[in-house]
């Protein structure tokens, strides 16, 4: 069953965090799915930031947590707003409209799976941090997990390695 134009656009969900890897993945998604079709958009863009909980971020409990958690919450909220702002700037620079920009608290694996289902995404785009095998075992790879569990195509974008002579911001 073919659909025409804007009555039923396919959805691209892009998972973002506060890393250059995820912003590169967003730019790549825009270049591949949106820029070539500016006159007649074929896709709807949904940007999702999975904000960690303060307790999962800290990993502490006890009386000292009562003092620290509100400060961490404030910092995580500030980071989430900066991520949304940066995504809006990236999209605006390429004249692409964000259909939905979401910040949801929780584990990124679950947040992205739920976003894919909720928006009926046809593609999930994620950046790869490029961790080695040992680091992936200990930290867990969100992109690897989602590649195996998401019910849509998953595009994992690797950021090109910087040349040793360049001065790159970290």
């Amino acid at each position: 069953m073919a659909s025409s134009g804007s009555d039923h656009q396919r959805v691209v969900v892009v998972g973002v965090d506060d890393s250059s890897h995820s912003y590169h993945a967003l730019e790549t998604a825009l270049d591949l799915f949106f820029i070539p079709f500016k006159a007649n958009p074929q896709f709807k863009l949904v940007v999702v930031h999975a904000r960690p909980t303060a307790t999962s971020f800290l990993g502490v409990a006890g009386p000292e947590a009562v003092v620290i958690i509100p400060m961490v919450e404030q910092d995580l909220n500030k980071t989430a707003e900066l991520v949304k702002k940066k995504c809006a700037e990236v999209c605006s620079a390429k004249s692409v409209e964000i259909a939905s920009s979401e910040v949801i608290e929780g584990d990124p694996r679950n947040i992205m799976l739920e976003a894919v289902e909720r928006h009926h995404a046809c593609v999930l785009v994620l950046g790869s941090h490029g961790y080695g095998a040992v680091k992936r075992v200990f930290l867990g790879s969100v992109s690897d997990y989602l590649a195996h569990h998401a019910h849509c195509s998953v595009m994992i974008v690797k950021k090109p390695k910087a040349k040793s002579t360049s001065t790159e911001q970290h």
Side-chain angles (χ1 to χ4, degrees):
M1 182 160 130
S3 65
S4 62
S6 63
D7 62 336
H8 182 64
Q9 291 176 313
R10 295 173 289 176
V11 176
V12 174
V13 171
V14 180
V16 292
D17 58 19
D18 190 29
S19 72
S20 60
H21 303 280
S22 71
Y23 297 128
H24 177 71
L26 174 60
E27 288 183 2
T28 301
L30 298 179
D31 291 343
L32 292 174
F33 297 107
F34 296 90
I35 302 300
F37 307 104
K38 269 189 184 177
N40 184 21
Q42 303 293 306
F43 298 94
K44 212 167 74 166
L45 177 62
V46 175
V47 178
V48 180
H49 172 63
R51 184 178 93 58
T53 61
T55 52
S56 70
F57 188 77
L58 286 173
V60 298
E64 66 277 359
V66 174
V67 175
I68 297 170
I69 287 176
M71 291 184 287
V72 173
E73 284 285 344
Q74 187 177 9
D75 192 51
L76 291 171
N77 287 335
K78 184 177 172 185
T79 299
E81 286 306 311
L82 290 173
V83 168
K84 281 180 74 169
K85 183 179 177 195
K86 172 79 175 176
C87 291
E89 289 169 357
V90 168
C91 291
S92 178
K94 294 186 180 264
S95 302
V96 175
E97 183 182 334
I98 299 174
S100 178
S101 181
E102 305 171 359
V103 175
I104 303 170
E105 185 178 280
D107 182 285
R109 293 162 185 82
N110 298 330
I111 299 299
M112 293 304 147
L113 280 179
E114 291 165 6
V116 163
E117 296 301 317
R118 187 172 58 256
H119 294 287
H120 307 288
C122 65
V123 179
L124 171 62
V125 180
L126 305 160
S128 170
H129 287 255
Y131 296 139
V134 174
K135 235 181 190 178
R136 278 196 314 268
V137 167
F138 289 105
L139 296 177
S141 170
V142 172
S143 58
D144 185 57
Y145 177 86
L146 292 166
H148 289 92
H149 293 89
H151 297 293
C152 68
S153 296
V154 177
M155 185 170 93
I156 301 169
V157 180
K158 288 185 176 185
K159 189 174 178 203
K161 293 193 184 217
K163 295 185 172 125
S164 58
T165 58
S166 70
T167 56
E168 185 179 286
Q169 292 180 351
H170 291 282

